[in-house]
Amino acid sequence: MISPSNYPACEHSVRFLVGIFLILLFGCGQYSTSAANISRKDILDSLFDGYDAWISPSFDKTSLRYSGRPVIDIIQLYILSIDSIRDTNMDYAMSFYFRQRWIDERLRYNESHGIDVIELDTKIMENIWVPDVYFVNEKQATMHDVTVPNKMMYLYPNGLVLYSARISGVFSCMMNLQKYPLDRQICSLRLESYAHSAKNLVVRWKSPAVEFSPTLQLPQFEIEKNHPSICDTLYMGINYSCILLDIHLRRNHGYYITQIYVPSALVVVLSWVNFWLTVDAVPARISLGLLTVLTTTTQSTSFFSNLQKVSYIKALDVWLAMCMLFVFAALLEFAYVNVTYRVTNRRKSIQDLPMFIHKNGDARFDSIFSEETEEKSHKIPHQTRNQQCGNKRTGVLGSLYSKEREKARNIDRISRIAFPVTFLVFNIVYWCVYFLWEPTHEPKTS
């Protein structure tokens, strides 16, 4: 037992030991924090010591010989916007995040330092090897650099490199316009390694291959689905790794229904007004017929000016050609009716001419119409003979005039039914065919 006299000495010893323990505790904590702070820089210095960004990770670090294992580059796209899909140039503009990940054994570091990821600055990224993947169907593209280059690179302890860049570009899209504007299109994005064969670099899609921004909207199309695939290609006997993304698009019909189909159909209906006008309204029927023909021609010219010139027939070609045929047929119908009516008018004028002559006392023209009456002229009075000839001519030509005029009117009556029924049948056939028929998606250009 400790005697009461020894209590102050023991208490002093305990306080001394506690003080030593606290000093050691705080000192080690500060040392470990300092070590963690300087280890990030030390790790980068050790990684870049002897690192060559010109050499692929598939080669041995020391002997520079092929290691037998290709670099597997896993790719994913995050599509921000599809700005425009142009039929005239057969291309589309798109902005997206281009994400890649691969393993570089030379960038492994010890995880025991407490650093699970190293975020690199854009200035240091140039010192890291990056796969030489390019877009095969790219027409024009840029990498954003406002306010700084829009690139990101993370390094993980196991040598995993995560790389992302924001890209905007215009890419070709070979379209099949046989059903335009009731069509569906497949726009592709093809990626390959430019210089490295499949022996050194293999590109593959991540699952999922594509992610779309929630705010993505297309003015003329709707995205139905996307289909990633592998398209490894052989160039000059060398196999190159390739991946392909097909974006299936369906064109919205609203704009074309209101701006093309409905106006052109109304012009066709307007041409039928000719059938309800009288046969005598020649100026009105000519003006209406020519107006509908010229309007249809102007519509066709304006619509086709914004389309690619292709060698095959499009759905819009069929529609506008049939509309032109209907309005032109209505104009030809008026021409036939007018000719028939003019023949009867000419005959009526010939009928009225002798009557006018007889009223003015000139009987020499009676022989033109009736030789039999002229032979009997010495037996009856002159005035009675004129009256009989006039009545005979009036009966024959008047009957013929009424018959021909009725024939012209019957043509109009038949056209009032035949034209609308024929146009209705054409519409049924047209819409059934182009909504049910699906052409092959092989690109066809002029």
Side-chain angles (χ1 to χ4, degrees):
M1 295 182 61
I2 301 174
S3 62
S5 60
N6 295 330
Y7 283 165
C10 292
E11 183 179 359
H12 179 74
S13 299
V14 170
R15 289 180 179 178
F16 177 77
L17 292 175
V18 170
I20 296 295
F21 175 76
L22 292 176
I23 292 173
L24 292 175
L25 179 64
F26 285 107
C28 292
Q30 292 177 358
Y31 175 78
S32 61
T33 303
S34 176
N37 289 335
I38 63 174
S39 64
R40 188 178 299 270
K41 181 179 181 303
D42 292 340
I43 291 174
L44 290 176
D45 291 339
S46 63
L47 291 178
F48 291 136
D49 184 19
Y51 184 91
D52 195 344
W54 294 358
I55 300 175
S56 169
S58 59
F59 290 89
D60 186 76
K61 180 177 174 181
T62 56
S63 64
L64 299 182
R65 294 180 179 179
Y66 177 60
S67 62
R69 298 188 306 272
V71 177
I72 308 298
D73 186 15
I74 306 300
I75 295 177
Q76 184 187 48
L77 301 180
Y78 184 88
I79 298 179
L80 298 171
S81 65
I82 300 178
D83 302 318
S84 63
I85 302 176
R86 296 179 292 185
D87 304 314
T88 52
N89 298 333
M90 288 198 174
D91 57 25
Y92 65 100
M94 184 170 65
S95 296
F96 55 92
Y97 293 132
F98 183 51
R99 299 169 175 173
Q100 302 180 79
R101 59 177 61 198
W102 67 93
I103 298 292
D104 192 341
E105 299 288 346
R106 299 170 296 177
L107 298 178
R108 286 179 176 271
Y109 63 91
N110 194 346
E111 193 176 1
S112 61
H113 296 290
I115 300 176
D116 55 351
V117 60
I118 299 178
E119 302 175 359
L120 299 183
D121 188 79
T122 55
K123 301 180 181 64
I124 308 178
M125 294 180 190
E126 299 177 356
N127 300 324
I128 303 294
W129 179 87
V130 176
D132 60 340
V133 177
Y134 78 105
F135 300 94
V136 178
N137 58 327
E138 174 259 330
K139 288 185 175 181
Q140 181 181 3
T142 56
M143 298 185 68
H144 295 260
D145 56 0
V146 178
T147 57
V148 295
N150 296 175
K151 296 187 295 183
M152 177 194 74
M153 182 175 286
Y154 290 169
L155 302 181
Y156 291 87
N158 61 347
L160 175 65
V161 181
L162 178 61
Y163 177 73
S164 176
R166 184 185 173 195
I167 300 175
S168 293
V170 178
F171 307 90
S172 63
C173 177
M174 306 310 294
M175 301 181 182
N176 189 329
L177 299 176
Q178 288 180 319
K179 288 185 61 177
Y180 177 88
L182 309 174
D183 56 333
R184 286 178 167 86
Q185 300 296 337
I186 299 179
C187 289
S188 302
L189 192 66
R190 182 168 177 168
L191 297 88
E192 292 182 9
S193 171
Y194 193 86
H196 294 284
S197 65
K199 181 180 178 182
N200 296 321
L201 177 62
V202 175
V203 291
R204 290 294 181 260
W205 288 113
K206 184 180 182 294
S207 182
V210 182
E211 293 180 352
F212 295 96
S213 171
T215 60
L216 176 64
Q217 289 185 349
L218 281 72
Q220 295 186 24
F221 288 87
E222 290 183 2
I223 299 177
E224 291 186 323
K225 61 179 180 178
N226 63 86
H227 178 67
S229 60
I230 300 173
C231 56
D232 292 351
T233 311
L234 195 67
Y235 294 121
M236 297 183 296
I238 302 176
N239 187 28
Y240 288 88
S241 183
C242 168
I243 54 177
L244 182 69
L245 175 66
D246 290 332
I247 303 176
H248 294 250
L249 304 170
R250 180 175 62 86
R251 194 184 301 270
N252 294 326
H253 307 150
Y255 170 81
Y256 300 94
I257 295 295
T258 57
Q259 299 297 323
I260 298 179
Y261 287 99
V262 172
S264 55
L266 291 178
V267 172
V268 174
V269 174
L270 181 62
S271 68
W272 301 340
V273 178
N274 261 335
F275 310 144
W276 298 89
L277 298 178
T278 61
V279 183
D280 301 324
V282 177
R285 298 188 71 164
I286 289 178
S287 301
L288 187 59
L290 292 178
L291 177 64
T292 53
V293 171
L294 292 176
T295 303
T296 305
T297 304
T298 303
Q299 286 179 337
S300 303
T301 304
S302 63
F303 297 151
F304 293 145
S305 62
N306 297 325
L307 283 179
Q308 176 69 276
K309 305 301 184 293
V310 293
S311 59
Y312 50 85
I313 298 176
K314 302 182 289 293
L316 186 61
D317 296 336
V318 176
W319 175 265
L320 293 177
M322 291 302 297
C323 289
M324 174 64 74
L325 179 62
F326 273 98
V327 298
F328 192 71
L331 185 60
L332 290 180
E333 186 272 347
F334 160 70
Y336 179 74
V337 169
N338 185 53
V339 168
T340 303
Y341 179 66
R342 285 173 60 188
V343 169
T344 59
N345 275 348
R346 188 181 300 111
R347 292 175 179 175
K348 186 175 183 298
S349 300
I350 296 175
Q351 172 193 349
D352 293 340
L353 181 59
M355 296 297 297
F356 175 77
I357 294 174
H358 287 306
K359 288 181 181 180
N360 288 275
D362 193 347
R364 292 176 297 176
F365 296 94
D366 290 345
S367 59
I368 299 176
F369 301 96
S370 179
E371 295 179 356
E372 183 181 355
T373 305
E374 185 177 359
E375 292 176 357
K376 299 178 180 180
S377 61
H378 62 282
K379 298 181 180 181
I380 57 178
H382 179 74
Q383 182 177 2
T384 304
R385 185 173 71 250
N386 292 342
Q387 183 177 2
Q388 290 177 351
C389 293
N391 291 338
K392 184 178 181 181
R393 289 190 296 270
T394 302
V396 175
L397 295 179
S399 176
L400 182 62
Y401 172 74
S402 299
K403 183 179 179 181
E404 294 296 332
R405 183 180 177 86
E406 188 64 23
K407 179 181 178 181
R409 290 177 175 175
N410 287 335
I411 295 174
D412 277 344
R413 293 190 185 102
I414 294 174
S415 299
R416 294 172 189 173
I417 300 175
F419 274 74
V421 170
T422 306
F423 190 66
L424 179 61
V425 172
F426 161 71
N427 270 271
I428 294 174
V429 174
Y430 178 87
W431 294 108
C432 289
V433 167
Y434 283 104
F435 270 121
L436 299 178
W437 170 59
E438 287 295 337
T440 58
H441 288 285
E442 296 177 0
K444 299 180 181 180
T445 56
S446 58

